[in-house]
RNA sequence: GCACCAGUACCUUAAUCGGUGAAAGGACCGGUCUUAAACACCGGUGAUCCGGGUUCGAGCCCCGGCUGGUGCACCA
């Protein structure tokens, strides 16, 4: 009697070893003669003409060990990869590591261990665990962004952008993290002004830095969202981040100094209500404007104070408005009025032109400021005007919102223009908006304009463990790109990683001092490194052609795989990574290196895994370790559980009891299959279920086909939880009917269960399929449901009276509506309820019910 | 404050087009097996957030409210 016990610790390594030995998940590039030759020599089984599919999970940052979120991400991605393969596609499913970054560097500062050493350890540990999870990765394409063979091409892309004018240096007020001692991208500062990485309060410093011109792509990044299949909330976040506003640029002239100040406004229709003018404290002209006025000292103090304020203090809209008069005036171009100039911290330098026209009547913030400073508030849009004379007669005293005075202000809605100009008064404000912009344009005082919240991407970092920026500064030639053939510019060794406000690379003097590639004279290297988001903005391209050392990729190979068909990752990357990767794709396409516009055709964002309802964290001590779970119950249980616990795009709470439940399910499945394999005789391919089967055999065959249909549909819509539940139902029927069905039917039902479940629990399903059929489940085409077995020839017709179920009768599937009505009327308990009443109506839903409405 | 999503049994989820008396797993309770327990098997308890509306019929659609989550929020 062989032991009928499910033992994942024996099953899982056995199949993993086979997959590794046979390079089962590797896929060759079919384009290019060399690739074709490789495919022949490795005896690639898959049909080269099969459609390709690129399934990709976001690349992990290797630090310590993978956590449960990784397990969920790869469980989702692997299920898709397996499903696509079984649908006959050639699937590219690679893995790599986002290996540059601050944690390894901070660790180096603490311990002196070189970041490359600790990173290599983490990568080894990640790789070991990923293998133990049995995910179907093409390991031949593995990469790490910190390897010179990778970052050589990161540098090449940087130089391509530089040569195209998309990478540039400029001095600007930038965000500086005092703890990490580096500048940050605007995107890396959260809404409260804290560093996204370390949580320290971010400061503002005036520094010269490297930027990438992502703002040139704002319109396309916005518009092309329409072309990709992404979750709507992710698209919304990107739209918000790009922050497109339509409006006008209007020029206000300071006659005393003879300087023009353009402002951006979305409401040129309220221009006649502009009663003062406000500049941001950072505005370069503020001090110059105040110079020589009585206000000078006060302005200086205010500006100093404002510049030292944190984003948090300054960003608070609840805070009372502050500001100082500049003692100057500008002219409102539409009516020639001289209006007072102020400096106030509620105006931001980064948005628009750093100066605004203030319309207190129709803008909440301007209104609050005007109240504090006692400035005039003028209504130029009537909130509601009576539409017909009858309305006026009915209401001799108009309610306040109808008045043209200042009551009810500020008012931001639509209405008709009042108190403006005879040419515009009475016009609807939307119509007036275009009329006023047209007038400004004719007079040369303004023009229609579009403004974005998105700002250029600051990519330089004063840190060690990143990709060096391949630029040399020559005393004679200036800024010179390192020639392509000299790439990569490798990271030098340094003794001290501690940041001191400049890059640790600056201390490597032998490395910094170099010769100019152009004139050969003395030159110094750029010592800043790149933001690690640069590394991850193109890695999906490199996987396609990972071993190419003559180029970053061969465009012909990219055509075979790109764009990624299914991208999977956490919603925390909804803005930064995804926006940067889209920008890189568009820029590289413009430079002729790619022939597609969007990198990720379809995106799936998985939900968080929580414990006891809250985020797992070391400080709370509620961290569930994937390694421990896999050790205890096996990878199949861990993976199936995490997909079964709920819809994968939602957060899911980890429960050890739930894990046990799934483990029991896999145990029962394996055990019943092992028993069946014994009683059913030698392994044999599954026989298509016999439509002529009778009784329990027919019932179980039907259930199996129902499960095929259900799981196939559920997989297409990422409903893994219900797919697994369907296989559970199938197993329950197998157990229930195991005494009465033929061995062949049981073999078919259990083999089908294993086949359907294998994307979620590949090892145990491979084992079961092998026991029952002697075949490899991953090489089988995805099963197809037999239509004839999905339909029933008879069913239970529900008989309702006034919407209440009163009886049930057997009806044949093809019975016409008239026959169903008669069946229903004839049902005994229906007759009781219809007795002596008048039939008003009969509703027939074929296949479901008949409802008789009586009075 | 604005927008979006969700609210179903003690818990996590299901119910495809508005159509049966709301389903699965876990938990809990009972039974069989066992010296006893675990495992396994059999059985059981128990739910549509609140208030209106539409409809022959509403968990599902509409309106209002409550609760929770996410995103945005001095962006002119």
């Amino acid at each position: 009697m062989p032991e009928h016990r499910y033992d994942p610790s024996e099953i899982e390594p056995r199949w993993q070893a086979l997959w590794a030995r046979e390079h089962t998940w590797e896929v060759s590039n079919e384009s290019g003669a060399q690739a074709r030759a490789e495919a022949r020599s490795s005896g690639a089984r898959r049909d080269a003409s099969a459609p390709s599919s690129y399934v990709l999970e976001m690349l992990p940052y290797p630090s310590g060990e993978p956590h449960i979120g990784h397990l969920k991400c790869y469980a989702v991605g692997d299920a898709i990869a397996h499903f696509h393969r079984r649908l006959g596609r050639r699937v590219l499913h690679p893995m790599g590591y986002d290996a540059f970054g601050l944690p390894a560097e901070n660790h180096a500062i603490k311990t002196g261990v070189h970041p490359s050493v600790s990173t290599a350890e983490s990568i080894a540990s990640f790789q070991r665990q990923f293998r133990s999870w049995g995910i179907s990765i093409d390991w031949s394409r593995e990469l790490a962004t910190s390897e010179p063979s990778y970052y050589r091409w990161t540098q090449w892309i940087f130089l391509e952008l530089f040569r195209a004018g998309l990478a540039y240096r400029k001095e600007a007020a930038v965000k500086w993290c005092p703890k990490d001692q580096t500048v940050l991208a605007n995107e890396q500062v959260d809404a409260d002004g804290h560093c996204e990485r370390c949580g320290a309060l971010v400061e503002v410093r005036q520094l010269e830095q490297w930027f990438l011109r992502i703002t040139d792509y704002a319109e396309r990044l916005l518009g092309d969202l329409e072309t990709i299949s992404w979750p709507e909330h992710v698209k919304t976040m990107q739209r918000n981040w790009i922050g497109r506003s339509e409006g006008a640029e209007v020029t206000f002239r300071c006659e005393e100094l003879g300087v023009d100040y353009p402002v951006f406004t979305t409401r040129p229709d309220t221009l006649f209500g502009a009663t003062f003018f406000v500049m941001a404290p950072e505005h370069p002209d503020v001090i110059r404007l105040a110079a020589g006025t009585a206000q000078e000292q006060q302005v200086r103090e205010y500006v100093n104070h404002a510049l030292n304020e944190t984003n948090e203090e300054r960003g608070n809209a609840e805070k009372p408005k502050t500001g100082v008069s500049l003692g100057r005036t500008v002219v409102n171009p539409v009516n020639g009025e001289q209006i007072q100039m102020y400096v106030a911290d509620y105006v931001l330098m980064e948005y628009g032109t750093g100066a605004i026209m203030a319309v207190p009547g129709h803008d909440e913030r301007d209104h609050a400021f005007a109240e504090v400073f006692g400035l005039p508030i003028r209504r130029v849009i009537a909130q509601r005007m009576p539409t017909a004379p009858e309305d006026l007669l009915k209401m001799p005293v108009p309610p306040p919102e109808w008045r043209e005075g200042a009551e009810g202000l500020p008012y931001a809605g639509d209405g008709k223009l009042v108190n403006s100009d005879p040419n515009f008064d009475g016009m609807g404000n939307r119509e007036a908006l275009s009329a006023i912009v047209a007038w400004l344009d004719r007079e040369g005082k303004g023009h229609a304009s579009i403004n974005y919240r998105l700002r250029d991407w600051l990519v330089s970092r004063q840190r060690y463990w990143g990709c060096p920026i391949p630029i040399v500064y020559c005393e004679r030639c200036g800024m010179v790109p390192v020639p392509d053939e000299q790439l990569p510019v490798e990271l030098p060794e340094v003794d001290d990683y501690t940041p001191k406000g400049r890059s640790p690379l600056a201390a490597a003097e032998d490395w910094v001092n170099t010769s100019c590639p152009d004139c050969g004279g003395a030159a110094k290297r750029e010592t800043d490194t790149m933001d690690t988001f640069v590394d991850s903005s193109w890695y999906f391209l490199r996987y396609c052609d990972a071993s190419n050392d003559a180029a970053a990729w061969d465009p012909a190979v990219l055509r075979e795989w790109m764009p990624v068909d299914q991208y999977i990752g956490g919603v925390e990357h909804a803005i930064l990574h995804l926006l940067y990767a889209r920008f890189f794709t568009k820029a590289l396409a413009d430079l002729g290196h790619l022939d597609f516009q969007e990198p990720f055709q379809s995106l799936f964002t998985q939900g968080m895994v929580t414990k006891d309802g809250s985020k797992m964290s070391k400080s709370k001590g509620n961290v569930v370790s994937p390694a421990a779970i896999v050790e205890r119950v096996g990878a199949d249980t861990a993976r199936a559980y995490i997909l079964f616990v709920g819809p994968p795009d939602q957060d899911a709470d980890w429960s050890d009891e739930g894990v046990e439940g799934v483990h029991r399910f896999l145990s029962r499945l394996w055990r019943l299959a092992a028993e069946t394999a014994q009683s059913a005789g030698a392994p044999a391919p599954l026989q298509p279920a016999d439509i002529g089967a009778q009784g329990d055999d027919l019932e179980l065959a039907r259930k199996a086909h129902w499960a095929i249909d259900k799981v196939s549909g559920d997989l297409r819509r990422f409903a893994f939880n219900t797919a697994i539940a369907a296989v559970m139902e199938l197993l329950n029927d197998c157990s229930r009917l195991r005494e009465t069905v033929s061995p062949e039917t049981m073999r078919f039902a259990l083999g089908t269960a294993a086949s359907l479940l294998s994307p979620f629990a590949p090892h145990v399903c491979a084992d079961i399929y092998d026991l029952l059929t002697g075949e490899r489940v991953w090489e089988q085409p995805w099963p197809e449901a037999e239509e004839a077995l999905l339909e029933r020839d008879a069913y239970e017709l529900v008989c309702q009276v006034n919407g209440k179920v009163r009886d049930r009768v057997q009806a044949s599937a093809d019975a016409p509506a008239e026959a169903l009505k008669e069946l229903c009327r004839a049902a005994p308990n229906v007759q009781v309820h219809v007795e002596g009443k008048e039939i008003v109506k009969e509703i027939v839903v074929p296949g479901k019910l008949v409802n008789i409405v009586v009075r």
Side-chain angles (χ1 to χ4, degrees):
Chain A
M1 181 79 190
E3 198 181 1
H4 282 170
R5 196 173 70 88
Y6 169 54
D7 181 9
S9 67
E10 186 277 325
I11 293 172
E12 293 180 357
R14 178 153 49 82
W15 291 101
Q16 283 161 16
L18 183 133
W19 295 330
R21 195 164 62 237
E22 300 197 352
H23 306 277
T24 308
W25 314 121
E26 288 179 22
V27 60
S28 57
N29 293 332
E30 296 302 332
S31 44
Q34 190 198 347
R36 268 191 294 276
E38 275 170 25
R40 270 196 301 278
S41 67
S42 72
R45 272 183 308 273
R46 277 170 223 289
D47 178 6
S49 65
S52 70
S53 176
Y54 190 172
V55 178
L56 183 65
E57 299 90 344
M58 290 181 184
L59 94 168
Y61 177 77
S63 172
E65 298 210 328
H67 53 73
I68 210 87
H70 290 113
L71 180 64
K72 182 167 179 175
C73 183
Y74 296 107
V76 170
D78 205 37
I80 305 293
H82 278 296
F83 185 50
H84 283 192
R85 278 189 205 100
R86 304 249 333 255
L87 291 173
R89 303 186 197 152
R90 307 175 61 242
V91 172
L92 175 57
H93 188 214
M95 176 65 76
Y97 306 94
D98 188 18
F100 274 136
L102 280 183
E105 183 168 344
N106 289 337
H107 181 255
I109 292 166
K110 228 182 285 173
T111 63
V113 176
H114 195 280
S116 67
V117 174
S118 56
T119 300
E121 280 167 13
S122 287
I123 288 177
S125 142
F126 268 59
Q127 206 209 53
R128 205 163 43 239
Q129 289 215 27
F130 288 159
R131 285 184 185 273
S132 81
W133 298 349
I135 47 183
S136 59
I137 295 295
D138 178 350
W139 290 105
S140 72
R141 296 166 187 260
E142 191 183 21
L143 59 82
T145 59
S146 59
E147 291 162 359
S149 60
Y150 179 87
Y151 70 69
R152 166 183 183 181
W153 304 113
T154 307
Q155 291 174 340
W156 172 76
I157 292 170
F158 181 90
L159 291 178
E160 281 291 288
L161 297 176
F162 176 77
R163 289 186 279 255
L166 291 170
Y168 66 97
R169 270 173 83 78
K170 81 167 176 199
E171 188 179 301
V174 298
K175 306 295 192 309
W176 171 269
C177 174
K179 194 164 167 218
D180 291 336
Q181 291 274 309
T182 182
V183 297
L184 299 172
N186 290 312
E187 286 82 350
Q188 289 165 330
V189 181
D190 66 20
D192 305 331
H194 292 273
C195 171
E196 180 200 57
R197 276 221 174 278
C198 72
L201 211 48
V202 167
E203 298 166 4
V204 176
R205 288 194 182 183
Q206 198 73 22
L207 292 169
E208 192 174 299
Q209 296 292 331
W210 282 98
F211 290 85
L212 299 185
R213 219 176 280 283
I214 191 172
T215 51
D216 277 12
Y217 287 81
E219 194 60 48
R220 284 162 65 188
L221 288 168
L222 189 67
D224 286 352
L225 286 173
E226 306 300 326
T227 69
I228 48 184
S229 160
W230 285 20
E232 209 42 57
H233 70 278
V234 174
K235 290 191 188 183
T236 303
M237 281 193 260
Q238 295 223 338
R239 282 189 200 105
N240 287 341
W241 191 264
I242 295 166
R244 181 184 199 269
S245 307
E246 279 184 39
E249 207 165 277
V250 185
T251 305
F252 286 68
R253 187 169 181 80
C254 175
E255 290 177 338
E256 289 152 283
L257 275 77
V259 185
D260 283 337
Y261 290 107
V263 300
F264 175 74
T265 176
T266 54
R267 295 294 305 274
D269 51 325
T270 63
L271 203 40
F272 290 92
T275 53
F276 56 103
F277 187 96
V278 192
M279 293 179 121
E282 296 88 349
H283 197 288
D285 281 8
V286 164
I287 299 295
R288 184 155 78 95
L289 281 159
T293 69
Q295 305 295 317
E296 185 171 355
Q297 190 52 30
Q298 232 189 316
V299 168
R300 283 184 187 281
E301 280 166 21
Y302 183 79
V303 168
N304 279 338
H305 173 75
L307 295 185
N308 285 324
E309 253 180 334
T310 64
N311 274 25
E312 194 170 17
E313 288 158 7
R314 198 171 152 177
N316 181 4
E318 315 287 294
K319 186 190 78 162
K321 294 278 178 286
T322 61
V324 174
S325 167
L326 290 174
R328 304 279 183 188
T329 59
V330 284
V331 179
N332 184 340
V334 290
N335 55 16
E337 275 179 16
Q338 294 281 347
I339 57 177
Q340 285 294 316
M341 296 180 90
Y342 286 83
V343 56
D345 66 359
Y346 80 95
V347 174
L348 309 174
M349 191 62 216
E350 310 94 86
Y351 188 78
T353 61
I356 62 157
M357 65 179 211
V359 184
H362 302 281
D363 181 281
E364 221 173 291
R365 299 151 298 175
D366 298 343
H367 188 265
F369 189 86
E371 295 255 278
V372 174
F373 289 83
L375 294 160
I377 298 167
R378 185 185 303 159
R379 177 186 282 281
V380 292
I381 303 223
Q383 196 150 345
R384 270 172 62 194
M385 292 293 278
T387 47
E390 305 90 84
D391 292 343
L392 278 173
L393 291 173
K394 266 183 243 154
M395 214 170 284
V397 180
E401 68 268 23
W402 285 8
R403 291 186 196 142
E404 298 185 10
E407 278 176 78
L409 294 178
Y411 169 66
D414 290 328
K416 290 188 174 168
L417 261 67
V418 294
N419 303 325
S420 293
D421 178 283
N423 288 323
F424 303 115
D425 279 343
M427 216 182 251
N429 68 303
R430 299 197 178 218
E431 192 193 344
L433 192 148
S434 3
I436 290 174
V437 172
W439 181 86
L440 287 167
D441 218 352
R442 277 198 303 278
E443 298 288 314
K445 291 173 174 171
H447 53 89
S449 164
I450 291 163
N451 215 334
Y452 301 92
R453 205 186 81 123
L454 182 71
R455 297 193 273 279
D456 275 346
W457 174 16
L458 198 172
V459 293
S460 44
R461 298 288 182 275
Q462 291 73 52
R463 296 299 298 247
Y464 176 76
W465 190 232
C467 176
I469 294 176
I471 294 284
V472 161
Y473 299 94
C474 167
E475 284 164 24
R476 206 166 340 154
C477 312
M479 205 153 50
V480 181
V482 174
D484 287 353
E485 62 275 13
Q486 289 177 26
L487 298 180
V489 173
E490 290 202 41
L491 271 177
E493 296 295 321
V494 298
D495 300 327
D496 184 5
Y497 307 103
T498 319
K500 299 176 180 70
R502 57 170 198 167
S503 169
L505 297 189
E509 284 181 23
D510 290 351
W511 179 85
V512 171
N513 292 310
T514 183
S515 55
C516 170
D518 280 1
C519 71
K524 286 186 187 297
R525 290 191 188 278
E526 167 67 60
T527 58
D528 283 358
T529 52
M530 294 183 214
D531 180 3
T532 56
F533 275 114
V534 176
D535 310 328
S536 56
S537 292
W538 74 281
Y539 75 101
F540 43 90
L541 303 172
R542 183 64 183 171
Y543 281 141
C544 298
D545 203 6
S547 52
N548 190 337
D549 48 18
W553 56 77
D554 174 353
V557 171
L558 251 57
R559 259 191 293 279
E560 183 179 350
W561 298 113
M562 289 298 295
V564 173
D565 294 273
Q566 185 61 60
Y567 200 35
I568 300 131
V571 76
E572 65 273 17
H573 293 113
I575 299 173
L576 303 183
H577 163 60
L578 290 171
L579 195 66
Y580 294 149
R582 294 182 62 221
F583 160 55
F584 263 47
T585 301
K586 289 177 193 308
L588 289 165
D590 286 356
L591 295 173
H593 300 302
L594 304 177
D595 52 12
F596 50 91
Q597 289 293 320
E598 286 290 338
F600 313 121
Q601 194 26 242
S602 178
L603 173 70
F604 182 83
T605 52
Q606 97 252 15
M608 237 182 10
V609 183
T610 58
K611 181 78 169 95
D612 307 322
S614 61
K615 205 171 173 167
M616 290 185 195
S617 73
K618 276 183 199 149
S619 57
K620 285 194 208 110
N622 61 349
V623 176
V624 176
S625 145
I629 298 292
V630 170
E631 169 77 27
R632 198 173 79 231
V633 292
D636 285 332
T637 296
R639 291 173 54 168
Y641 166 72
I642 213 161
L643 296 179
F644 175 67
V645 69
D649 57 331
Q650 283 173 31
D651 290 353
D653 202 59
W654 185 272
S655 135
D656 290 329
E657 290 81 24
V659 175
E660 291 305 321
V662 171
H663 193 242
R664 267 203 293 276
F665 159 64
L666 294 183
S667 280
R668 272 169 36 219
L669 180 63
W670 187 87
R671 210 158 356 97
L672 190 54
E675 283 165 19
T676 303
Q678 252 195 347
S679 59
L686 299 187
Q687 295 299 316
D690 184 0
I691 296 174
Q694 294 296 317
D696 289 350
D697 284 289
L698 179 61
E699 188 184 339
L700 190 57
R702 277 212 164 112
K703 188 68 182 186
H705 281 276
W706 166 84
I708 292 171
D709 189 56
K710 173 80 178 150
V711 174
S712 307
D714 286 352
L715 266 166
R716 284 191 176 85
R717 55 190 185 98
F718 295 86
F720 309 123
N721 54 331
T722 53
I724 293 167
V727 180
M728 285 177 173
E729 282 194 49
L730 175 58
L731 175 63
N732 286 346
D733 280 9
C734 289
S735 299
R736 186 166 56 84
L737 302 171
R738 70 180 177 279
E739 304 292 342
T740 53
V741 299
S742 73
E744 272 322 298
T745 302
M746 187 54 88
R747 194 204 301 271
F748 174 74
L750 288 169
T752 299
S755 176
L756 296 176
L757 196 66
S758 68
F760 317 114
H763 314 85
V764 67
C765 291
D767 212 54
I768 291 169
Y769 209 84
D770 179 55
L771 287 171
L772 292 170
T773 70
E775 294 177 324
R776 299 172 153 189
V777 69
W778 63 89
E779 290 175 1
Q780 306 307 309
W782 189 254
E784 273 180 50
E786 186 68 56
E787 280 300 320
L789 285 167
L790 291 176
E791 287 160 14
R792 294 166 302 176
D793 45 7
Y795 61 94
E796 200 171 53
L797 179 75
V798 169
C799 305
Q800 296 183 332
V801 178
N802 286 348
K804 289 195 171 63
V805 180
R806 295 304 183 187
D807 214 333
R808 263 170 267 222
V809 294
Q810 286 297 311
S812 66
D814 50 2
E818 270 316 310
L820 294 178
K821 282 185 198 172
E822 273 169 37
L823 274 172
C824 180
R825 280 196 296 259
N829 199 38
V830 168
Q831 291 189 330
V832 173
H833 286 89
V834 174
E835 191 77 74
K837 294 182 180 146
E838 184 198 345
I839 295 179
V840 183
K841 201 170 172 184
E842 287 167 315
I843 292 111
V844 181
V845 183
K848 297 270 185 186
L849 55 76
V850 173
N851 185 14
I852 299 177
V853 185
V854 298
R855 200 158 43 207

